[in-house]
Amino acid sequence: MSLIIESLNHQIVDGDNHRQLLSDISLSVSQGECIALMGDSGSGKTTLLNLIAGLEPIQQGSIRIAGLQLAQATEKKLSELRKKHLSIIFQQYNLLSNLSVQDNIEFSARLAGRYDALLCSTLTKQLDIHSLPHKYPATLSGGEMQRVAIARALSAQPKLLLADEPTGNLDEHNSTCVVELLVKLAKLHNTALLMVTHSVNVAQRMDKIYRLADGQLTLVEKAF
Ligand SMILES: Nc1ncnc2c1ncn2[C@@H]1O[C@H](COP(=O)(O)OP(=O)(O)OP(=O)(O)O)[C@@H](O)[C@H]1O
Ligand SMILES: [Mg+2]
């Protein structure tokens, strides 16, 4: 199992009030499994991804990734996990502005010690960004930045890939292509994929769909 969340609770401070954003959440994602996470804006999807990525402290409950219990892990172990086993496609891409497209894509793979020139070049072709290797992020369109962020995340062949609306800036055709590619590569490399999406079409292409509402996470029946 790549990811096991048990009885996770998370409160946020909203002015003078405390709001229970995540309430007793449990979720398991096995290797190669592709999960869609849906829910209204503000329901806590990005916060949940941040907790899984170890970017926010766990208040209550447990998150285990590739056997590592996050709440008890040292900063060194957490950073090793992020470097080697976890990739994130952020809602705001977070590309490195002083690196070219090609260097951005190779960066995480090199950091993880899994740089594979053939995989990097295949990914850039599959994501239709092979004409941009020497451009810098500031000169790219939103959809191009999104595809570079996807290539960067996949180039490291992570055990767990967290993706926050990775198709939010893409048109219908590109969005379908990108999701099919993400699912295909997740299966090929045995990567667990947890993807936030507002698109029912995108969610339908995943193995399971969960919805976050009023702090509760529930499995949604897929329509066939
Ligand atoms: N550090 C924080 N302190 C206080 N409130 C926060 C903090 N981080 C997020 N929030 C609030 O928590 C709620 C959930 O935010 P989050 O970003 O997780 O939502 P989301 O489901 O990802 O929404 P969207 O679909 O718009 O991206 C929001 O109301 C947000 O304002
Ligand atoms: Mg969000």
Side-chain angles (χ1 to χ4, degrees), residues 88-90 92-101 104-105 136-138 140-142 144-153:
I88 313 171
I89 303 169
F90 289 97
Q92 317 298 343
Y93 322 126
N94 291 20
L95 295 177
L96 298 164
S97 58
N98 56 341
L99 293 187
S100 68
V101 163
N104 259 285
I105 293 170
Y136 282 80
L140 301 176
S141 75
E144 286 167 347
M145 279 194 260
Q146 201 155 35
R147 282 175 285 150
V148 174
I150 292 167
R152 182 180 60 171

Side-chain angles (χ1 to χ4, degrees), residues 111-142:
L111 213 58
R114 275 194 288 272
Y115 172 66
D116 175 342
L118 182 62
L119 176 64
C120 287
S121 107
T122 308
L123 284 169
T124 57
K125 284 196 196 97
Q126 287 171 319
L127 286 156
D128 198 19
I129 45 174
H130 52 289
S131 59
L132 313 171
H134 304 300
K135 289 190 88 170
Y136 282 80
T139 66
L140 301 176
S141 75

Side-chain angles (χ1 to χ4, degrees), residues 167-184:
T167 61
N169 258 310
L170 304 179
D171 57 59
E172 185 83 20
H173 171 71
N174 265 308
S175 157
T176 306
C177 292
V178 161
V179 172
E180 279 177 358
L181 181 65
L182 272 172
V183 171
K184 187 175 118 188

Side-chain angles (χ1 to χ4, degrees), residues 83-84 106-116 155-157:
K83 214 159 62 179
K84 293 212 171 124
E106 292 178 4
F107 183 77
S108 344
R110 289 189 193 279
L111 213 58
R114 275 194 288 272
Y115 172 66
D116 175 342
S155 72
Q157 302 172 57

Side-chain angles (χ1 to χ4, degrees), residues 45-46 91 164-165:
K45 304 179 298 298
T46 298
Q91 207 163 3
D164 205 346
E165 290 185 60

